[in-house]
Amino acid sequence: MSDQGEDPFDWVGATLDGKYQVDAVVGRGGFGVVYRAHHLGFNEKVAVKCLRIPQTLSGAARDEFERNFLAEGRLLHQLSRSTAGIVQALDVGAVVSPNRTWTPFIVLEWLDGQSLDANFAERQRSGLGGRSLRGAVELLDTAARALALAHEQGIAHRDIKPANLFVAEVGGRKTLKVLDFGIAKVVSESESFSKAFEETGTSLQAFTARYGSPEQFSRRYGSTGPWSDVFSLTLVLIEAVVGHSALEGVDAAQLFIASADTSRRPTLRTFGVDPGDAVEAVLNTALAVDPKERYPNAGVFWDALLAALAFSGEAPISSNASLSGRYPPSSQSATHAGAATQLTASTALPNPSPKSEGAARVLALHSRWAVAAGGVAVAGLLAFWLGRSPSFTPQQVTSASPAPATSDATAEAKPAESGNPAIAPKGGFAGLPARDVSAGLSPTNDAWLDKFSVLRRDDNQGLQLSQAFARCADAGKQLCTESQWQRACDSFAEVGESPSWTESLENGLAVVRGGGSCAPRKLATETDHDVLRVGLCCDAAIAMTSSSLQKPFLSSTASIVLKLQRALNQHSVDEFLELAEDSVLLNGHPRDKASLKSLLSQSFASARDLVIVNDSCDVTVAAKKVVTPKRGHRLKKVSYETTGWTAVCKQTRHRDGKAVGATSSYEFSAVSKLRAITDSEAPATTE
């Protein structure tokens, strides 16, 4: 590396923390400066990364940031000791620099080599372009397995990009190492840091837009986590093959559109490279716009990719490499003995050929994580009256067993797989434990609710309604509706210990439930302040009522309404059009698909901050009487043929920090194609 850039801390020539003689600046980034230094005791070169902290961050806010930074540094140290695929963290601390600037720092092993973005640029200059698919997979294998190891512990990177992947010369061999674990998390999740940074006039973005997943650009797609790293790693893989970045755009807005465009996924076939159906299917899943439809972590993704490559006749990884995402035992990595993965545990075929065995593996892995046609989401957007919403990623949780001990980095939800809940910590509702609430009738309105999980966040107390809603969205959930809250409290009495905001509105006021038991109920303005009040978070589940449908049909109608709203919330014009008839009535005005497409595109561009949550829907079925004569009989057979159904949904809409009640009526054909929407909006809540 060569010296470059200025030294904002005046560390060059000084001794940091009494142990590290700082020699030169070797790199600068959005939040930090990297120095080359040497340890005075061992006389070994090290890299020291110092974070640039806004001067307005002080007092308790700075203390909190320092605690989080030190915790992430210790976590990285433990993680990097488990694998050679992550740059080794040697020390962490915070000191005052020679020019009296408070400086959080982390000391890392010194690496000789070049970053992957420099490698890509070098190949472009020399005319080499991209690599073969096999070569790209071999190149990224070490990083993918290191990510898999981190993801097994619930730790996400959140800024995977070529610049954070370093081709290092270690012991005469080249190996790829992952840099900057924990930096994106500690920066992005500190509200005080974010505010202080923005006061400097600089936009805070703790990820790189060219490699960003939809949920990193906008919380309406759900929370970030290991699945976000899967998306970014896949973009790097595509770039390694095609020789240029996979997302096309010149600014963050264009890159956001490219990241979330359901009509064009940046897979290899999109760029004219045909890897075979099996590999292309894996890439499509890894780049799914909806995090719930993506592989949940790098281990599952890499297993599926290697199985698809084997099915296609490629064998890019040496035979001693485990497909579980762990490293095989070696002198440079810890030994990880674990249970067989779905691949290694598959039932053996009689004398299988390599191709048939690969096909079985592809099917076993890909069928589990294939892009689903449906899914649970919340909210909708259409014309001037519909807007965006988080795709509330359900958290897989139960109260049955404890989860492995982790730091806050492990606390985010991962996409749910229906019927296969993950393990969550035991105990009450403090912090981030969550519990499943079974499907059943709500005692408040005798409405049917599908299964959902509920959690209480420690940081979701004493907030206003809109703030509590935003905290739930950060966890991939929404505020519980009153029906959900009541079912949760009936299942777990401790839910009622503290008063809680709900998503339900009544006469323009928010319904507050609980406070000593499951019985208390009051109405409050959305800006009303109560330090004891929490914001209980739930997966999306609509309370469904009907006088003509049985419970199983209520569940299916709920999924269709949510599917429609997900298409609207995620700005997916194509998905919405697939759900609609050729002509749809919008508030009585007919719109063909061309008109709908234009209207939706305009709406998505102009109504970006409107979040809609369905509280409850009442479903009615329309049918016509059919009389069929019976041959040879005077009697006639009478039957009824369904002609369609309508869901009239009570909603809450969040806009500009205010909550507004609304009602939307969705009319569907007999085959559940949308044919009409009628909407009305109540006055805003009183402040």
Side-chain angles (χ1 to χ4, degrees):
M1 298 179 176
S2 59
D3 294 0
Q4 54 182 334
E6 60 179 308
D7 176 11
F9 304 103
D10 288 344
W11 274 121
V12 175
T15 301
L16 186 148
D17 201 29
K19 293 177 284 186
Y20 307 102
Q21 179 70 38
V22 181
D23 301 321
V25 175
V26 294
R28 289 174 56 87
F31 307 112
V33 179
V34 180
Y35 296 90
R36 186 185 71 245
H38 63 274
H39 191 285
L40 292 175
F42 297 116
N43 196 29
E44 289 285 343
K45 283 193 295 185
V46 294
V48 180
K49 181 160 190 172
C50 298
L51 294 193
R52 294 187 296 164
I53 304 300
Q55 295 299 309
T56 54
L57 187 71
S58 59
R62 194 178 83 173
D63 292 341
E64 179 188 12
F65 182 86
E66 181 177 3
R67 285 194 300 271
N68 293 339
F69 178 74
L70 294 177
E72 288 303 311
R74 297 183 190 107
L75 186 66
L76 174 58
H77 173 67
Q78 296 169 8
L79 185 62
S80 65
R81 285 167 59 93
S82 302
T83 170
I86 296 174
V87 63
Q88 306 297 296
L90 307 175
D91 199 356
V92 65
V95 294
V96 176
S97 74
N99 64 10
R100 306 192 64 78
T101 302
W102 184 69
T103 313
F105 70 90
I106 186 165
V107 180
L108 307 163
E109 66 172 317
W110 179 261
L111 300 176
D112 290 310
Q114 63 177 172
S115 63
L116 204 54
D117 64 336
N119 179 272
F120 286 172
E122 185 178 279
R123 290 180 65 89
Q124 285 280 47
R125 288 193 299 270
S126 62
L128 293 175
R131 293 169 164 83
S132 67
L133 178 58
R134 171 179 177 147
V137 172
E138 288 182 334
L139 171 71
L140 295 175
D141 183 65
T142 305
R145 295 179 187 280
L147 280 174
L149 184 65
H151 291 173
E152 285 178 355
Q153 301 178 45
I155 303 169
H157 188 288
R158 295 183 178 84
D159 193 20
I160 293 295
K161 58 183 178 180
N164 279 336
L165 300 173
F166 197 89
V167 184
E169 298 276 355
V170 179
R173 299 177 59 185
K174 291 185 177 180
T175 185
L176 196 65
K177 287 180 176 276
V178 182
L179 311 181
D180 269 5
F181 249 109
I183 299 299
K185 178 181 185 296
V186 75
V187 166
S188 64
E189 294 191 359
S190 171
E191 186 175 348
S192 300
F193 181 88
S194 301
K195 290 180 179 178
F197 199 90
E198 289 165 1
E199 287 174 2
T200 67
T202 307
S203 175
L204 176 65
Q205 184 170 285
F207 71 98
T208 304
R210 193 161 295 279
Y211 303 93
S213 60
E215 64 272 17
Q216 290 178 290
F217 285 101
S218 173
R219 69 172 54 159
R220 71 169 174 267
Y221 292 94
S223 59
T224 60
W227 47 93
S228 307
D229 292 346
V230 169
F231 193 99
S232 301
L233 179 63
T234 308
L235 293 179
V236 176
L237 173 67
I238 302 296
E239 181 173 350
V241 175
V242 301
H244 58 79
S245 60
L247 293 185
E248 298 175 342
V250 297
D251 56 28
Q254 292 180 6
L255 292 167
F256 178 18
I257 293 172
S259 176
D261 185 357
T262 56
S263 66
R264 185 183 187 277
R265 306 315 299 138
T267 61
L268 286 176
R269 279 186 180 160
T270 299
F271 297 106
V273 178
D274 188 359
D277 290 344
V279 172
E280 183 70 7
V282 170
L283 298 178
N284 266 305
T285 300
L287 293 173
V289 172
D290 189 338
K292 297 190 300 296
E293 298 174 351
R294 212 176 296 152
Y295 296 111
N297 57 60
V300 176
F301 164 51
W302 211 243
D303 283 349
L305 179 61
L306 297 185
L309 285 166
F311 175 62
S312 303
E314 293 279 356
I317 307 302
S318 61
S319 60
N320 68 336
S322 164
L323 293 183
S324 67
R326 298 180 173 92
Y327 282 95
S330 73
S331 59
Q332 293 187 350
S333 63
T335 300
H336 297 282
T341 64
Q342 186 172 352
L343 281 177
T344 58
S346 298
T347 302
L349 299 174
N351 300 317
S353 67
K355 191 164 186 176
S356 65
E357 186 177 0
R361 289 178 173 181
V362 172
L363 290 173
L365 283 166
H366 187 68
S367 63
R368 185 176 179 185
W369 299 106
V371 176
V376 176
V378 168
L381 169 67
L382 192 57
F384 59 91
W385 50 270
L386 287 176
R388 70 154 183 92
S389 166
S391 167
F392 297 108
T393 307
Q395 187 173 29
Q396 297 176 298
V397 287
T398 69
S399 58
S401 306
T406 59
S407 76
D408 289 344
T410 71
E412 289 201 62
K414 77 175 184 178
E417 181 185 5
S418 179
N420 184 25
I423 294 172
K426 288 181 178 178
F429 276 61
L432 278 168
R435 296 181 180 180
D436 286 336
V437 179
S438 61
L441 292 174
S442 169
T444 57
N445 53 8
D446 203 33
W448 176 261
L449 277 163
D450 283 333
K451 175 183 174 182
F452 61 92
S453 70
V454 58
L455 67 82
R456 169 180 160 175
R457 295 184 55 159
D458 270 346
D459 58 355
N460 209 359
Q461 183 169 334
L463 302 178
Q464 296 178 3
L465 177 64
S466 61
Q467 296 169 323
F469 176 83
R471 291 289 167 84
C472 287
D474 287 340
K477 295 183 182 292
Q478 65 177 53
L479 280 174
C480 301
T481 65
E482 184 177 11
S483 296
Q484 287 181 298
W485 187 94
Q486 187 66 58
R487 274 201 58 77
C489 198
D490 289 343
S491 300
F492 310 106
E494 57 265 44
V495 167
E497 291 174 357
S498 300
S500 176
W501 290 112
T502 73
E503 194 56 56
S504 302
L505 299 180
E506 184 177 306
N507 298 324
L509 298 172
V511 177
V512 176
R513 293 301 310 272
S517 72
C518 296
R521 183 181 190 271
K522 62 177 282 189
L523 302 179
T525 65
E526 58 188 285
T527 56
D528 180 42
H529 182 68
D530 182 343
V531 294
L532 298 178
R533 185 175 300 148
V534 300
L536 207 63
C537 304
C538 285
D539 294 338
I542 305 175
M544 305 293 288
T545 60
S546 178
S547 59
S548 56
L549 282 180
Q550 296 178 342
K551 296 172 188 175
F553 297 100
L554 287 176
S555 181
S556 63
T557 54
S559 68
I560 293 170
V561 173
L562 289 170
K563 184 178 178 182
L564 168 67
Q565 293 171 336
R566 181 182 66 179
L568 294 166
N569 297 331
Q570 296 188 353
H571 293 187
S572 177
V573 175
D574 291 338
E575 189 175 349
F576 177 86
L577 295 179
E578 287 178 6
L579 296 168
E581 290 190 329
D582 291 338
S583 179
V584 176
L585 286 175
L586 297 182
N587 285 336
H589 301 287
R591 303 278 186 175
D592 60 19
K593 287 200 170 181
S595 175
L596 277 174
K597 185 172 184 177
S598 175
L599 182 60
L600 284 167
S601 299
Q602 295 172 20
S603 300
F604 294 158
S606 62
R608 296 184 180 277
D609 63 347
L610 178 62
V611 179
I612 297 179
V613 175
N614 275 298
D615 186 330
S616 60
C617 295
D618 186 69
V619 181
T620 56
V621 177
K624 66 179 180 179
K625 186 176 181 179
V626 178
V627 180
T628 307
K630 290 186 176 182
R631 295 183 61 182
H633 296 274
R634 292 183 180 180
L635 296 177
K636 296 180 180 180
K637 180 182 178 181
V638 178
S639 62
Y640 292 88
E641 179 181 313
T642 300
T643 59
W645 57 277
T646 301
V648 179
C649 300
K650 178 184 176 183
Q651 300 173 338
T652 301
R653 299 177 183 175
H654 296 263
R655 181 191 298 121
D656 300 326
K658 300 180 185 298
V660 179
T663 301
S664 284
S665 175
Y666 301 111
E667 183 182 337
F668 294 86
S669 69
V671 294
S672 297
K673 286 286 189 179
L674 180 69
R675 60 188 182 194
I677 300 178
T678 305
D679 173 81
S680 63
E681 189 169 286
T685 57
T686 305
E687 293 191 20

